[in-house]
Amino acid sequence: MHKNKLRSLLSVSVILSLGLVVYLIFSLLKVLSLELTNAPLILTSLATIGFIIYFISAGIIYLKSMYNNAVVLLISVIAYFFQLIFSIINEFIYFERILTALIIVCHIGSIYLLMKFLLEATIIDHKIIEN
């Protein structure tokens, strides 16, 4: 029974998406490690670890289809991902005002969609939660 759940979580699209996110984060941290001192790099790494935990949690909720509007949570995670990447680029690599505007839009959108998910989420099947 656990093998079927694992196989459903490891579909081709999930593996490709996860690989893309991991590669992007690794590449960005590699570039930053050449340019930054230890303190900002540690803080950036902590923010990235927080995002990875949020990303995995939302991905599991979306893939298990436990809630009726899990797509809203997935869009919130994607907006937060863009906000994090744009923030790192804007702060440490290339400052641009348009990136600052995109960061604010992504951040507000992410928070709004997360709150919308939390307020409107209803469980589809109670048996999934009990197991």
Side-chain angles (χ1 to χ4, degrees):
M1 184 169 205
H2 292 290
K3 289 183 181 180
N4 291 336
K5 288 181 182 179
L6 184 61
R7 286 185 184 156
S8 68
L9 287 176
L10 294 178
S11 66
V12 176
S13 62
V14 171
I15 292 172
L16 288 175
S17 300
L18 188 63
L20 179 64
V21 168
V22 167
Y23 173 72
L24 186 61
I25 290 172
F26 174 75
S27 298
L28 195 58
L29 288 176
K30 185 177 176 184
V31 168
L32 287 177
S33 68
L34 298 173
E35 304 233 354
L36 295 179
T37 59
N38 286 339
L41 187 62
I42 291 172
L43 294 175
T44 303
S45 299
L46 286 175
T48 305
I49 289 170
F51 165 74
I52 290 170
I53 293 169
Y54 180 44
F55 177 75
I56 290 172
S57 302
I60 290 171
I61 289 172
Y62 177 74
L63 290 175
K64 287 195 173 197
S65 300
M66 293 187 291
Y67 296 98
N68 63 343
N69 58 348
V71 175
V72 174
L73 181 64
L74 186 66
I75 295 170
S76 172
V77 169
I78 292 169
Y80 181 68
F81 176 70
F82 283 117
Q83 182 257 326
L84 179 70
I85 297 299
F86 288 152
S87 294
I88 292 171
I89 291 170
N90 197 33
E91 182 72 28
F92 299 119
I93 298 173
Y94 180 71
F95 179 77
E96 189 67 37
R97 285 186 181 184
I98 192 74
L99 280 178
T100 305
L102 284 172
I103 290 166
I104 292 169
V105 167
C106 288
H107 185 71
I108 291 171
S110 174
I111 297 287
Y112 172 76
L113 291 173
L114 177 64
M115 290 300 119
K116 182 176 174 135
F117 171 77
L118 292 174
L119 290 173
E120 297 176 357
T122 57
I123 298 172
I124 293 175
D125 188 11
H126 291 284
K127 292 178 184 177
I128 295 173
I129 303 298
E130 293 171 0
N131 292 332

